[in-house]
Amino acid sequence: MKAIKMSQTGDPEVLQLVETKEPEVDKNEVMVKLYFAGVNPFETYIRAGGYAFFSPELPYIPGFDGAGEIEKIGKEVQGFAVGDRVFVASTLSKTTGTYAEKVVCGADAIRKLPSFMSYAEGAAIGVPATTAYKALFQRGRLAQGEKVLIHGASGGVGMLAVQMAKHQGAYVIGTAGSAEGMAAVKKNGADLVLNHHESEYLKNISEVDLIIEMLANENLTNDLRVINTFGRIVVVGNRGTLEFDPRQTMAKEIDILGMAVWHYQPAGYQHCLDEIEKMLDQKVLTPVIGKTYPLEEASQAQYDIIHSKAQGKILLEIQPD
Ligand SMILES: NC(=O)c1ccc[n+]([C@@H]2O[C@H](COP(=O)([O-])OP(=O)(O)OC[C@H]3O[C@@H](n4cnc5c(N)ncnc54)[C@H](OP(=O)(O)O)[C@@H]3O)[C@@H](O)[C@H]2O)c1
């Protein structure tokens, strides 16, 4: 099968298209023939080396999410059959990597894809949806009628977070860094959209109950200004350090909560996937796809997810469906 492999950590160029042998399927696993895979920022941190949560043995095929059709099935797997259309969400399960024509993963990492959804949409669910769900509900405790600021709403996680928060009955403020990204966030259902690169873009914002923060090192100081008394800030993304005065957390008695999908426990993860499946069936969640690259351009896709403006989820197209 064709796959993207890295034999060393480093720049995006370490991602090479190779021909490699198909992985074996164990009794609790499935092999999925993939049509699309998701590209996530943490895959670039893993590629660069030194990522806190995961350092793979090399050579390594990257990728944790994707969508396709079950091709082989382990003897003890229940509830699935060869030919089922599924999406893969494998951060918590063994996976052979989704930047490939086929992936073998635990059956606990797949869910059926509704018949009305495309494989491309399916590949935009795994990491972003499990991240958005944990940030909003398990860490952020979002309640109906609250005001939430999704600080970085134009990316893979942010788009789904906006949809989930609206479904919960929240007033949703989303930010993006380009006119195209802002238009996409507005179309995605946010009540108010701001440009996080404009000066003083938060000047009319106050009493926010919950902030989902995609770039804490840039924004935490301003977040503390707009957050409500007893509010919560969930740090989802961060790319640096900052200096701030912890006294401000006392004044409003706020919670700053870190979150990482890697800390899901198996039962919590399955509950999250159950809830995501329900939201997909009810058409509450409709993944927004930004740019799609052919598999062989995985290095460009990883470069662009860090350096270009987001308008939804970045995907790799692996084979025509
Ligand atoms: N903690 C976890 O478990 C976990 C899981 C998944 C992802 N993450 C992290 O969460 C972040 C978002 O992931 P993603 O998949 O949505 O990435 P993505 O698709 O690349 O989106 C990145 C988002 O960050 C926004 N952004 C850029 N500059 C910003 C600023 N100054 N203030 C606020 N937002 C800004 C981007 O907006 P523009 O491009 O429009 O400027 C875009 O909305 C990444 O840092 C990722 O590593 C963490």
Side-chain angles (χ1 to χ4, degrees), residues 50-224:
Y51 180 51
F53 296 101
F54 183 69
S55 289
E57 260 180 51
L58 300 174
Y60 165 69
I61 300 174
F64 298 93
D65 48 18
E69 197 179 293
I70 297 184
E71 190 171 289
K72 289 186 189 168
I73 199 153
K75 285 198 293 285
E76 294 184 7
V77 173
Q78 295 184 342
F80 293 100
V82 169
D84 280 351
R85 302 170 79 248
V86 295
F87 69 90
V88 177
S90 63
T91 40
L92 225 68
S93 179
K94 185 199 139 188
T95 173
T96 58
T98 57
Y99 288 23
E101 287 180 316
K102 293 170 191 189
V103 64
V104 167
C105 61
D108 55 351
I110 59 166
R111 291 297 175 109
K112 286 186 185 145
L113 191 60
S115 57
F116 53 84
M117 287 185 74
S118 67
Y119 287 122
E121 289 174 311
I125 298 168
V127 173
T130 53
T131 302
Y133 185 85
K134 192 176 212 283
L136 284 169
F137 303 117
Q138 297 182 332
R139 299 295 279 155
R141 311 185 304 279
L142 178 67
Q144 188 178 12
E146 286 194 315
K147 195 194 280 186
V148 59
L149 167 61
I150 317 278
H151 220 161
S154 48
V157 176
M159 288 287 192
L160 296 184
V162 168
Q163 295 177 13
M164 289 182 192
K166 282 304 297 172
H167 180 59
Q168 179 75 354
Y171 178 83
V172 179
I173 305 166
T175 77
S178 66
E180 295 77 12
M182 288 176 73
V185 175
K186 186 73 191 161
K187 192 166 162 221
N188 191 36
D191 296 288
L192 177 65
V193 184
L194 304 168
N195 186 329
H196 48 234
H197 294 317
E198 278 175 11
S199 65
E200 300 201 44
Y201 65 99
L202 292 173
K203 75 168 185 284
N204 295 321
I205 305 299
S206 63
E207 297 179 352
V208 175
D209 300 295
L210 173 64
I211 299 177
I212 303 301
E213 184 51 67
M214 305 300 173
L215 202 57
N217 55 302
E218 290 269 344
N219 297 324
L220 200 54
T221 308
N222 284 333
D223 290 346
L224 289 163

Side-chain angles (χ1 to χ4, degrees), residues 41 45 131 152 154-157 177 196 219 236 239 259-261 305 309-310:
Y45 319 149
T131 302
S154 48
V157 176
H196 48 234
N219 297 324
V236 177
R239 292 183 185 157
M259 79 124 285
V261 281
I305 200 167
K309 295 287 166 215

Side-chain angles (χ1 to χ4, degrees), residues 37-41 43-44 65 99 123 298 301-302 305 313-316:
V39 177
N40 297 287
E43 290 148 15
T44 72
D65 48 18
Y99 288 23
Q302 281 209 355
I305 200 167
K313 174 81 184 160
I314 289 187
L315 299 180
L316 298 175

Side-chain angles (χ1 to χ4, degrees), residues 228-304:
N228 211 352
T229 305
F230 310 131
R232 293 90 63 203
I233 300 171
V234 180
V235 176
V236 177
N238 184 70
R239 292 183 185 157
T241 57
L242 84 165
E243 199 172 289
F244 92 108
D245 178 2
R247 177 167 287 276
Q248 295 172 44
T249 65
M250 294 154 65
K252 293 183 181 171
E253 205 169 293
I254 59 147
D255 293 339
I256 300 177
L257 302 144
M259 79 124 285
V261 281
W262 309 95
H263 288 307
Y264 263 116
Q265 298 302 306
Y269 197 64
Q270 291 308 312
H271 172 75
C272 164
L273 290 176
D274 290 345
E275 293 301 306
I276 288 167
E277 251 192 317
K278 270 188 229 159
M279 287 190 274
L280 293 172
D281 285 338
Q282 295 163 359
K283 301 191 178 175
V284 166
L285 279 191
T286 310
V288 178
I289 295 153
K291 205 165 166 196
T292 301
Y293 299 73
L295 179 64
E296 57 270 28
E297 290 178 22
S299 55
Q300 187 65 48
Q302 281 209 355
Y303 179 86
D304 287 352

